[in-house]
Amino acid sequence: AVVSTQSVDLPVEIETAKVQAQHYMETTKEFKKLLSASGIKKEYTHENLQKISEKVTALSTEIESTNKRVAAYKELPPSIPLAKDRVRQIKLEIDAMEREFPELSCG
């Protein structure tokens, strides 16, 4: 009968995998200690940072939209009396143009 070399090496492979797993667990613990000592908090995980990034992107889009709506009002004065005065000035300018160009007048 032919004996497979794989079956003979299996216990050695299992033992090697156990040693590597133990090494990885110890290394992971060391890195966690280092991260903790450096002030890294659990809130700084990749998943949490991704969520924060998505929120920032959504808020940036909202700010951009709001800025576009506000831009239409930038030429208005900061108070109602000043705005009324500005409207009065514009009406005077329109009246002057209608007198200057009566053929363009609507009234």
Side-chain angles (χ1 to χ4, degrees):
V2 176
V3 177
S4 170
T5 57
Q6 288 180 339
S7 63
V8 173
D9 293 338
L10 192 57
V12 172
E13 289 179 13
I14 291 174
E15 191 59 35
T16 302
K18 285 181 183 178
V19 169
Q20 284 179 336
Q22 184 64 31
H23 173 71
Y24 292 146
M25 289 189 331
E26 290 171 7
T27 303
T28 300
K29 285 181 186 177
E30 290 174 23
F31 281 126
K32 284 183 179 180
K33 286 179 187 176
L34 286 172
L35 285 173
S36 178
S38 69
I40 298 294
K41 298 179 182 177
K42 290 183 180 181
E43 297 88 42
Y44 301 147
T45 63
H46 179 71
E47 293 82 13
N48 286 340
L49 293 175
Q50 260 186 321
K51 288 178 186 176
I52 291 170
S53 175
E54 290 169 3
K55 286 180 184 178
V56 167
T57 301
L59 288 173
S60 294
T61 302
E62 185 178 336
I63 288 170
E64 189 176 315
S65 172
T66 302
N67 282 339
K68 285 179 183 176
R69 287 187 308 210
V70 169
Y73 301 99
K74 282 190 176 181
E75 291 186 27
L76 289 178
S79 70
I80 296 209
L82 291 174
K84 286 181 178 179
D85 187 52
R86 181 72 180 128
V87 168
R88 185 186 58 76
Q89 288 173 356
I90 291 173
K91 283 182 180 180
L92 290 173
E93 289 175 20
I94 290 172
D95 289 344
M97 286 183 191
E98 286 178 346
R99 282 192 303 276
E100 188 175 338
F101 305 102
E103 65 277 1
L104 299 176
S105 177
C106 295

